[in-house]
């Protein structure tokens, strides 16, 4: 994405430096967004393919030339579709010589605010697997120059992947100014409170010029240093003449060019402790004609180096060259703790907090696709191991998984899941996700068909048969929702026994009934159920019918309030009280601790300015309110669907007391579990689904939850579902509302001395606490403005969609909420998957299957169980030999290697029991899959043997603890996970 320019006056001018010789490392690069304004296909045609073709050609013409490759999606497409054998051999040579360097190495440069840690690992693993398999290369440095703010989870992620250095750019403008003036743009980041120095990483924050070469040159009205000009869409110009091509370096221009470059290098040198200057050369969509780029820069570098009076030496460099030189200086660096760099503002009126909510539909589709992929990975891995001769064709199955892996990885891009792309790129992301999801659903159906015989159900016709898969490695008792258009007389398990279920009129008009079925599933296991169609059977007391109670619609300001007119709704965990004077929530009582919190919820809208002549605007990226949020309704309707298993509160928000259609709706469900079932998760949350939209133009919709908790406007929000951040409300001279918004990827909570109110989400939102005891969650945005930049790129966010996000509320003591919120968050993210079966019957007896579940302790999350398909040898020297001898087979998958990744969910001292280290016996854990014969511990993305991975140890001004030794029991295959550890294993079975 193009960098927004910041006025230099905001930073001051620092133009002096010590007498130490200044050495500039010129890093050629092209920032190639996987999406944003143009689709991947459009970009490949217009410029991206030409970048790699011409860069490789030019690097071969000059030994000193360098280039860094960042996002893998374009490179992989070029490698597959455009590169010839000669070019491929040249790339291998350039890799060996260190002149072409992969940095980050992920499928994309992922967004840091809104992505889950699991999806970050997925897209990084996708890219690293390709790079290592093809070249035997493992990236060691990040280049996160464009995400809109920096999460504290990212440095830990990259450290676990084996990186030696981390580079970021977009942080709050005033924070960067202070760090720049104090020469604090480089530090050692101990971003995980629990892992601390064990996964610390040296971090470089780019200065105010960011990743683009400063384009202003005083001797020309064209941009400088961009000799190939600006990429043209849809077709490259046939004559090779592009807009805004910089003046060529000639005898007349070389000296002023050199003066301009040297001045900028010296200015930057004054902001860093070392005289080594990282000078990025490139920007968005650059180097599509690398010949003209390098030919001009060659002359300029030679000229500067020959004229010693400049006091600067310059050289082409990779990012690794720069970091290695800096590391060898053996300087001592300051430390940064676990605080992130969110939110991000580029100036006082531009808070980049709107994208936390932009394109809510895309955010939901992306997360659902990720959850589906997660389920299918473990289902296929288990099926292949248990039933190797089954009818599911494994090469076809791998193709389905790889398609969805690609799509889910792609949308993690920092102009993807953020909602900051153009409508056609949004459509590209969604189409790829839906296509990949459709293939994986076919795979799941094929697995189910292969597990069970095609014998017709013994009960005969009139049944709908479903299979429910639990993708979590915990035993789960929960309700699954099956939309129905027919009445139901009963639900039965695989033994023909009735199952607790409730049928009621549907929430949404797309179907007639909602059928809630209580399921109890072991870890990573299936349950089979038959739904009998027909009138309700009075003899079947396991099926209940929800009864609708309709209340009088109430105006927002009800002058005729009646005393004590409240409706209590309860289960074993909560009593929820509705005030019939307003039809709004009144209070929630946590029954175990007898803690009552006054709670009300209402919809409001921020009104946004769309005329740049009248002040700051909101757009895809930015949130700028013209004033406080304004109530979005005048009356509330109420229905309660009462049932023994599910009670659903339906609240409808209208523009007036007589309106025929509602503007907003909230559907709150409280679940009752019969005696004899595990209630720990299903009882302890209130499920809320919202319906928002279509909205009026220039409106930003929130749901505000107000309580009597004394919180002093302090809220906690998560970094990528991995760790929590403390967010104290701050006052600013301008734009205070927007600058106090934070991303909620999965979790946010407020608390007082005794009680915590937790919000869990299945997609990302913006969240804030603007007043004491309040939480507001932004659900939807519809905007238009007349900023020429937004109009040119179609980035005005005129989103007319209806969104239906879900939030789980949990109220309780701080101890109880702290113990449960991690598992509840995972239970929401990875709900059981319902597969509709054409046939069902007895399990195929020809398979010697085992029903042994895969069950982990409550504090350990099965981050992934999959057949990755990589065919590289896990012994590095063998793999390099295979590459050297050409013994690499394209498009062949290894189906014997199993990827297992485990994560400890809790921080040190977060819980007296759940924060303890856990030892897992892998042989026992996986015995349902077979006999484990070998386990290898790997780096996060699998490309390093953990015992051979040696990361640089940068000197810190505060000494850390000794590095952890990676211990894996070789005889009994035991592994210990400490708080917040993620450990990656290759597992092989006899």
């Amino acid at each position: 994405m193009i960098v927004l320019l910041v006025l230099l006056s905001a930073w001051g001018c620092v133009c002096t430096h010590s007498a130490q010789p200044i050495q500039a490392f010129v890093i050629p690069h092209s920032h190639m967004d996987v999406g944003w304004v143009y689709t991947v296909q459009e970009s490949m045609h217009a410029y991206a393919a030409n970048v790699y073709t011409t860069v490789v050609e030019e690097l071969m013409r000059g030994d000193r030339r360098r280039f860094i490759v960042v996002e893998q999606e374009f490179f992989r497409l070029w490698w597959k579709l455009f590169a010839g054998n000669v070019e491929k051999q040249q790339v291998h040579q350039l890799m060996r010589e260190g002149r072409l360097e992969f940095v980050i190495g992920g499928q994309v440069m992922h967004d840091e605010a809104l992505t889950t840690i699991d999806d970050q690992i997925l897209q990084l693993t996708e890219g690293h697997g390709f790079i290592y398999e093809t070249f035997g290369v493992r990236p060691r440095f990040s280049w996160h120059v464009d995400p809109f703010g920096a999460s504290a989870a990212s440095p830990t992620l990259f450290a676990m992947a084996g990186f030696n250095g981390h580079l970021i750019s977009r942080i709050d403008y005033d924070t960067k100014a202070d760090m720049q003036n104090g020469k604090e743009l480089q530090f050692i980041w101990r971003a995980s409170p629990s892992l601390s120095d064990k996964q610390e990483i040296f971090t470089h924050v780019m200065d105010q010029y960011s990743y683009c070469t400063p384009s202003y040159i005083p001797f020309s009205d064209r941009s400088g240093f961009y000799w190939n000009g600006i990429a043209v869409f849809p077709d490259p110009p046939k004559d090779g003449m592009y807009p805004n091509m910089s003046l060529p370096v000639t005898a007349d221009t070389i000296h002023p060019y050199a003066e301009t470059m040297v001045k900028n290098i010296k200015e930057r040198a004054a902001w860093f402790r070392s005289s080594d200057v990282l000078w990025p050369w490139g920007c968005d969509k650059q180097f599509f004609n690398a010949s003209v780029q390098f030919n001009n820069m060659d002359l300029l570098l030679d000229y500067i180096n020959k004229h010693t009076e400049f006091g600067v030496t310059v050289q082409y460099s990779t990012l690794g060259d720069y970091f290695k030189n800096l590391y060898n200086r053996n300087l001592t660096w300051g430390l940064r703790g676990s605080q992130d760099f969110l939110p991000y503002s580029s100036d006082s009126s531009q808070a980049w907090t709107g994208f936390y909510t932009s394109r809510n539909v895309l955010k939901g589709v992306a997360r659902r696709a990720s959850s589906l992929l997660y389920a299918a990975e473990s289902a296929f891995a288990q099926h292949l191991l248990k039933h190797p001769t089954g009818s599911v064709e494994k090469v076809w199955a791998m193709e389905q998984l790889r398609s969805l892996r690609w799509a889910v990885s792609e949308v993690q891009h920092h102009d993807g899941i953020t909602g900051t792309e153009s409508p056609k790129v949004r459509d590209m992301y969604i189409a790829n996700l839906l296509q990949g999801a459709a293939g994986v659903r076919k795979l799941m159906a094929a697995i189910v068909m292969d597990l069970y015989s095609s014998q017709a159900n013994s009960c005969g016709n009139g049944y709908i048969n479903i299979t429910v898969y639990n993708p979590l490695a915990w035993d789960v008792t929960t309700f699954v929702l099956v939309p129905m258009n027919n009445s139901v007389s009963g639900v039965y398990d695989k033994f023909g026994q009735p199952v607790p279920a409730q049928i009621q009129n549907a929430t949404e008009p797309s179907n007639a009934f909602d059928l809630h079925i209580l399921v109890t599933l072991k870890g990573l296991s299936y349950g089979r159920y038959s739904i009998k169609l027909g009138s309700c059977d009075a003899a079947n007391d396991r099926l209940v019918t929800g009864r609708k109670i309709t209340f009088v619609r109430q105006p927002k300001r009800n002058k005729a309030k009646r005393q004590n007119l409240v409706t209590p709704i309860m289960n074993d965990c909560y009593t929820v009280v509705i005030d019939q004077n307003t039809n709004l929530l009144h209070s929630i009582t946590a029954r175990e601790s007898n803690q009552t919190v006054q709670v009300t919820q209402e919809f409001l809208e921020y009104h946004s300015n769309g005329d740049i002549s009248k002040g700051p605007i909101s757009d895809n990226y930015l949130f700028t309110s013209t004033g406080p949020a304004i109530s979005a309704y005048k009356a509330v309707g109420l229905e309660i669907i009462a049932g023994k298993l599910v009670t659903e509160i339906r609240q409808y928000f209208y523009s007036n007391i007589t309106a025929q259609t509602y503007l907003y709706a909230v559907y709150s469900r409280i679940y009752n579990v019969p005696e004899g079932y595990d209630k720990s998760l299903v009882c302890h949350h209130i499920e809320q689904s919202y319906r928002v939209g279509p909205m009026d133009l220039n409106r930003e919709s929130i749901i505000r939850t107000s309580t009597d908790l004394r919180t002093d406007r302090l809220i906690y929000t998560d970094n990528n579902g991995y760790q929590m951040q403390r967010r104290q409300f701050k006052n600013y001279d301008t734009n205070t509302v927007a600058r106090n918004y934070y991303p909620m990827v999965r979790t946010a909570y407020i608390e007082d001395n005794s009680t915590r109110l937790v919000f869990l989400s299945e997609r990302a939102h913006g969240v804030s606490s603007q007043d004491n005891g309040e939480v507001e969650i932004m659900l939807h945005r519809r905007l238009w403005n007349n900023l020429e930049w937004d109009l040119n790129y179609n980035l005005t966010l005129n989103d007319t969609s209806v969104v239906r996000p879900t939030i789980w509320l949990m109220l309780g003591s701080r101890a109880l909420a702290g113990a449960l919120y991690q598992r509840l968050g995972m239970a929401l993210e990875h709900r059981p998957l319902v597969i509709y079966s054409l046939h069902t019957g007895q399990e195929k007896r020809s398979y010697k299957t085992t029903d042994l579940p895969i069950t982990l302790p409550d504090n350990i999350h099965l981050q992934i169980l999959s057949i990755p398909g990589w065919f590289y040898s896990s012994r590095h020297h063998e793999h390099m030999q295979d590459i050297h001898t050409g013994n690499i087979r394209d498009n062949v998958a290894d189906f014997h290697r199993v990827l297992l990744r485990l994560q400890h969910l809790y921080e040190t001292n977060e819980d007296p029991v759940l924060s303890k280290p856990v030892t897992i016996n892998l042989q026992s854990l996986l015995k349902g899959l077979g006999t484990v014969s070998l386990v290898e511990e790997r780096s996060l993305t699998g490309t390093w043997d953990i015992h051979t991975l040696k990361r640089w140890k940068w000197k810190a001004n505060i000494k850390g603890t000794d590095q952890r030794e990676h211990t894996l029991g070789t005889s009994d295959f035991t592994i210990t996970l400490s708080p917040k550890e993620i450990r990656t294993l290759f597992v092989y079975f006899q």
Side-chain angles (χ1 to χ4, degrees), residues 63 94 158 270 278 473 632 665 701 725 819 846 856 872 919:
D63 289 346
L94 293 169
F158 291 130
L278 189 158
S701 168
Q725 292 282 344
S846 58
L856 287 165
Y872 58 75
T919 298

Side-chain angles (χ1 to χ4, degrees), residues 502 504-507 514 516 569 638-643 646-650 652 666-671:
Q502 179 172 317
Q504 59 197 45
N505 291 336
T507 302
D514 289 340
H516 297 273
I569 299 154
L638 174 66
E639 296 173 350
I640 294 179
I641 310 297
V646 184
T647 299
E648 183 170 281
I649 305 163
R650 299 177 179 177
Y652 304 97
V666 183
Y667 310 109
S668 302
R669 299 177 193 92
I670 300 168
Y671 296 102

Side-chain angles (χ1 to χ4, degrees), residues 562-608:
R562 295 158 290 178
Q563 293 292 323
N564 300 321
L565 197 60
V566 295
T567 300
I569 299 154
M570 66 179 65
N571 65 4
D572 289 336
C573 297
Y574 298 118
T575 299
V576 177
V577 175
I578 304 294
D579 185 347
Q580 291 182 36
N581 289 297
T582 61
N583 287 339
L584 298 175
L585 272 177
H586 176 269
S587 65
I588 303 174
T589 298
R591 298 182 65 188
E592 292 169 78
S593 58
N594 199 30
Q595 296 164 303
T596 297
V597 176
Q598 303 299 310
V599 179
T600 59
Q601 289 183 310
E602 57 180 344
F603 287 101
L604 302 97
E605 293 174 346
Y606 286 105
H607 291 209
S608 302

Side-chain angles (χ1 to χ4, degrees), residues 410-463:
E410 176 185 73
V411 78
Q412 307 310 316
H413 183 265
H414 59 273
D415 278 307
I417 199 168
T418 52
T420 53
E421 65 283 314
S422 65
K424 66 181 176 182
V425 174
R426 170 207 59 199
D427 294 344
M428 176 198 75
Y429 289 133
I430 290 181
N432 291 346
L433 289 165
L434 294 181
Q435 181 180 356
V440 165
R441 287 192 178 277
K442 290 179 182 177
L443 170 59
M444 292 299 297
I447 290 173
V448 169
M449 284 290 291
D450 199 37
L451 280 173
Y452 308 115
S453 69
S454 59
Q455 172 190 346
N457 186 285
S458 57
C459 297
N461 296 326
Y463 284 83

Side-chain angles (χ1 to χ4, degrees), residues 606-638:
Y606 286 105
H607 291 209
S608 302
N609 170 46
D611 185 350
I612 59 172
S613 67
K614 296 181 179 179
I617 58 165
S618 282
D619 64 8
N620 289 41
Y621 309 89
L622 309 176
F623 169 38
T624 310
S625 171
T626 58
I630 298 171
S631 179
Y633 67 97
K634 295 294 179 60
V636 183
L638 174 66

Side-chain angles (χ1 to χ4, degrees), residues 914-930:
L914 297 169
S915 290
K916 292 181 179 179
V918 179
T919 298
I920 305 292
N921 184 308
L922 299 175
Q923 187 73 270
S924 175
L925 175 72
L926 304 173
K927 61 186 176 183
L929 304 182

Side-chain angles (χ1 to χ4, degrees), residues 308-600:
T308 57
E309 65 271 19
F310 283 129
V312 170
T313 61
V314 287
Q315 67 181 64
Y316 288 125
S317 171
T318 64
L319 184 60
D321 293 336
Y322 169 76
F323 272 127
K324 184 176 182 180
N325 192 81
L326 191 64
Y327 178 73
N328 288 337
R329 289 194 180 275
N330 202 29
L331 298 174
T332 300
W333 302 97
L335 286 176
R336 181 177 180 87
S338 60
Q339 188 62 42
D340 61 7
F341 289 100
L342 288 166
Y344 160 60
S345 293
S346 50
D347 66 32
S348 61
S349 64
Q350 294 189 333
W352 294 51
T353 57
F355 78 91
Y356 299 160
T357 304
S358 296
R359 302 207 190 282
N360 185 273
V361 171
L362 173 63
K363 287 172 166 61
V365 171
R367 286 277 280 276
R368 286 195 298 273
S370 174
S371 297
L372 174 62
L373 176 63
Y374 174 81
E377 294 279 16
S378 63
F380 176 65
Q382 288 191 93
H383 194 69
L384 190 63
L385 291 166
K386 291 180 179 181
H387 314 308
T389 60
S391 64
V392 177
E393 210 285 309
K394 59 186 180 183
V395 174
W396 169 82
M398 183 60 67
E399 289 173 354
Q400 310 315 307
L401 292 171
R402 283 176 167 168
S403 175
L404 191 51
R405 289 172 189 169
W406 183 290
V408 173
S409 296
E410 176 185 73
V411 78
Q412 307 310 316
H413 183 265
H414 59 273
D415 278 307
I417 199 168
T418 52
T420 53
E421 65 283 314
S422 65
K424 66 181 176 182
V425 174
R426 170 207 59 199
D427 294 344
M428 176 198 75
Y429 289 133
I430 290 181
N432 291 346
L433 289 165
L434 294 181
Q435 181 180 356
V440 165
R441 287 192 178 277
K442 290 179 182 177
L443 170 59
M444 292 299 297
I447 290 173
V448 169
M449 284 290 291
D450 199 37
L451 280 173
Y452 308 115
S453 69
S454 59
Q455 172 190 346
N457 186 285
S458 57
C459 297
N461 296 326
Y463 284 83
I464 295 176
N465 302 302
I466 63 171
T467 301
V468 183
Y469 179 62
N470 172 22
L472 292 170
W474 299 316
D475 295 347
V476 169
T477 297
T478 189
F479 284 89
V480 295
L481 173 61
V482 180
M484 300 291 296
N485 284 314
N486 303 92
S487 57
V488 171
S489 64
V491 180
Y492 302 90
D493 64 18
K494 64 180 180 179
F495 302 111
Q497 297 300 308
V499 173
Q502 179 172 317
I503 191 166
Q504 59 197 45
N505 291 336
T507 302
E508 291 290 341
S510 55
N511 51 281
F513 303 104
D514 289 340
L515 178 63
H516 297 273
I517 304 173
L518 182 64
V519 298
T520 297
L521 302 165
K522 297 290 186 182
L524 270 62
S525 67
Y526 298 89
R528 289 182 289 141
Y529 302 90
S530 296
I531 302 168
K532 186 177 181 181
L533 305 180
S535 301
C536 184
D537 185 354
N540 182 3
D541 61 357
R542 289 295 185 121
L543 177 70
V544 297
T545 301
R547 181 172 56 91
K548 183 167 78 171
I549 307 167
T550 302
F551 294 79
V552 175
R553 188 183 301 184
Q554 298 293 343
K556 182 183 176 186
R557 292 180 174 84
N558 191 346
K559 297 179 180 178
K561 287 190 176 181
R562 295 158 290 178
Q563 293 292 323
N564 300 321
L565 197 60
V566 295
T567 300
I569 299 154
M570 66 179 65
N571 65 4
D572 289 336
C573 297
Y574 298 118
T575 299
V576 177
V577 175
I578 304 294
D579 185 347
Q580 291 182 36
N581 289 297
T582 61
N583 287 339
L584 298 175
L585 272 177
H586 176 269
S587 65
I588 303 174
T589 298
R591 298 182 65 188
E592 292 169 78
S593 58
N594 199 30
Q595 296 164 303
T596 297
V597 176
Q598 303 299 310
V599 179
T600 59

Side-chain angles (χ1 to χ4, degrees), residues 874-891:
S874 57
R875 295 178 177 84
H876 181 65
H877 67 281
E878 288 184 4
H879 180 52
M880 296 306 295
Q881 190 174 26
D882 288 341
I883 292 175
H884 182 69
T885 59
N887 190 27
I888 297 294
R889 301 161 294 166
D890 288 337
N891 302 319

